[in-house]
Amino acid sequence: MEYTSTRNNKIRVSSAQTISQGISKEGGLFVPCSFPQFSLETIKNMVSMSYIERAKLILKEYLTDFSEDEINYCVEGAYEASKFSSSKIAPVVNVNKNENILELWHGPTCAFKDMALQLLPYLMTVSAKKAADGKTIVILVATSGDTGKAALEGFKNVENTKILVFYPVDGVSDMQKLQMATQEGENVAVCAINGNFDDAQSAVKAIFTNDDIKDKLAEKNMMFSSANSINWGRLLPQIVYYFSAYCDMAEQRKINVGDEINFVVPTGNFGNILAAYYAIKMGLPVKKLICASNSNNVLTDFLTTGKYNKNRNFYTTTSPSMDILISSNLERLLYHISGDNDGLINELMDSLNSKGEYCVDEKMIADIKKYFSAGFATEGDVENTIREQFENYSYLLDTHSAVAVKVYLDYVNKTGDDVPTVIDSTASPYKFSKAVLNAVKSGNINSADEFDMVDELNKVSSLEVPEPLKSLKNKTVRFTDVCNKSDMSEMVFRLLKL
């Protein structure tokens, strides 16, 4: 298996180089040159497998420069039983009729990012030995909430790595901020920025491709890499849980292997739903991918009209991990749909950078619509959906998952397409206790203290509070730095103590 760049398809690199480098030198994103094919017979055999066995089967097709022992080491270390509160790792729970919830938040930081970011440090360590010439890898992360904590937890004290996380100072929940600010580890650092996630992400990308900064790091025997979903090592593990969810649906006899299902994915940066698209390219029987956005509905507009326009109001919502107007992974989809046309991708990305918008032709958007549908939910929709799902089915959603459920219900009402559907649930409700409690109690909240609200939500719902969130209450805050977007380069060197 070889990988190329969305902006230069003459490039050919190994999986180890792809993962350790993170992003191509000219700013493109690495993609596989081909997709392994899984027959229905193979999928049928996966039904009786554990999550770990399913992950090994998929990863070995993409990591062809990894030995079997290396893949076993990575997967078994990442999904070791003590790290996850469910023996299924990512269980599928039936809520109502064809509405099934894929719970991706049973890992150590209670968010779906754990599914990839528990594995990425292992992949990075093995890749670095093959392709990084003994350099210390500096993981540079922009986060809208969950990626930061999951990456910090995954990479803490990992040998020959350092990890720096930047997040929007007012763009994450109190619990997310506390998770990052109290992070343990000798090789970790965190800084807030004055701005939103797009500011942080664009600055990180600029730092990645700045030759002067890279040269200064090289002098110290260091190199950059990424734990954001621009890194192939982040996306690859996410393919696994789409196959696993399908197999679990078959195991629960909700479908027969070969039946098509739908997936609904709440997404801002387009990585989570892109992994589902890759699963389709590998042969997973999926009828439609339904892209769910919050009030920052730039993806809904694009998937509906073919025009991408980031020149719009930015909303800070109760689903902050989706508060994004520049969806980086869409670039990968455009590359594949266009027939690997790197020239077109350069034109579209140049237009996005210079004008804040681009438009694809009618054929491209028609081809995209074969796979994707899209919708969005307002803040009022989110609140109502959390309340209704709890009152009607005793199931407690976080804010992001509520966006997905609302968009799913709208899709069924509009299309009549009621095939069995799996909806990604991306975070524990306790990570957004204020918004969830406000919905469940119709605004009758008696306290503004984060942990008082967690306790109250526990009393109301009887849903167990995850231990990693409980333990935050008495942890010491380690990181309080705040900088401007223009000062992020200087802050990188300061945090690295260079």
Side-chain angles (χ1 to χ4, degrees), residues 70-262:
E70 286 170 335
I71 289 175
N72 290 344
Y73 160 74
C74 292
V75 175
E76 291 169 9
Y79 302 119
E80 191 242 322
S82 66
K83 294 180 178 180
F84 288 81
S85 61
S86 169
S87 60
K88 296 287 287 183
I89 307 299
V92 176
V93 177
N94 180 255
V95 173
N96 177 46
K97 296 180 182 177
N98 288 324
E99 180 185 332
N100 302 276
I101 303 291
L102 173 60
E103 294 182 345
L104 296 169
W105 41 263
H106 288 279
T109 76
C110 309
F112 84 103
K113 305 297 175 72
D114 289 325
M115 301 301 300
L117 284 165
Q118 283 300 301
L119 182 56
L120 181 59
Y122 289 93
L123 299 178
M124 188 75 74
T125 301
V126 173
S127 296
K129 289 176 182 176
K130 297 175 183 291
D133 301 323
K135 291 183 174 67
T136 295
I137 295 180
V138 178
I139 310 294
L140 194 57
V141 178
T143 184
S144 53
D146 288 330
T147 292
K149 172 59 182 177
L152 289 162
E153 189 64 25
F155 279 96
K156 73 176 181 184
N157 296 327
V158 171
E159 188 178 1
N160 296 322
T161 67
K162 294 181 182 294
I163 177 164
L164 314 179
V165 170
F166 293 89
Y167 70 91
V169 65
D170 295 318
V172 300
S173 76
D174 290 342
M175 187 68 82
Q176 288 173 314
K177 187 178 294 188
L178 192 59
Q179 282 186 299
M180 290 185 281
T182 59
Q183 177 64 47
E184 299 169 348
E186 295 303 312
N187 64 333
V188 307
V190 178
C191 181
I193 73 154
N194 294 311
N196 59 39
F197 170 76
D198 290 324
D199 295 323
Q201 180 172 246
S202 60
V204 163
K205 282 186 176 180
I207 292 169
F208 267 125
T209 54
N210 185 305
D211 289 335
D212 290 338
I213 296 174
K214 288 191 290 186
D215 289 345
K216 287 179 183 177
L217 254 65
E219 290 172 7
K220 301 294 183 181
N221 202 35
M222 294 178 174
M223 63 177 281
F224 281 128
S225 190
S226 173
N228 284 93
S229 56
I230 56 174
N231 191 319
W232 173 247
R234 258 288 304 280
L235 271 177
L236 175 56
Q238 294 178 268
I239 297 172
V240 176
Y241 55 70
Y242 289 104
F243 274 90
S244 186
Y246 186 92
C247 291
D248 284 351
M249 290 281 283
E251 186 180 35
Q252 296 168 16
R253 300 188 177 180
K254 294 188 178 70
I255 59 169
N256 296 312
V257 172
D259 293 347
E260 288 187 326
I261 68 172
N262 291 335

Side-chain angles (χ1 to χ4, degrees), residues 28-95:
L29 304 183
F30 289 120
V31 292
C33 292
S34 61
F35 291 95
Q37 295 302 299
F38 277 42
S39 67
L40 291 181
E41 190 63 33
T42 300
I43 296 171
K44 194 175 291 184
N45 291 336
M46 293 172 71
V47 172
S48 61
M49 293 181 182
S50 68
Y51 191 91
I52 285 177
E53 291 169 329
R54 294 165 183 168
K56 289 178 181 179
L57 191 66
I58 290 169
L59 263 62
K60 75 177 184 180
E61 297 294 329
Y62 286 99
L63 306 177
T64 51
D65 52 340
F66 281 50
S67 70
E68 184 176 350
D69 286 345
E70 286 170 335
I71 289 175
N72 290 344
Y73 160 74
C74 292
V75 175
E76 291 169 9
Y79 302 119
E80 191 242 322
S82 66
K83 294 180 178 180
F84 288 81
S85 61
S86 169
S87 60
K88 296 287 287 183
I89 307 299
V92 176
V93 177
N94 180 255
V95 173

Side-chain angles (χ1 to χ4, degrees), residues 320-332:
S321 297
M322 300 159 68
D323 290 348
I324 296 171
L325 294 181
I326 304 174
S327 302
S328 291
N329 277 291
L330 191 56
E331 178 174 337
R332 284 182 164 116

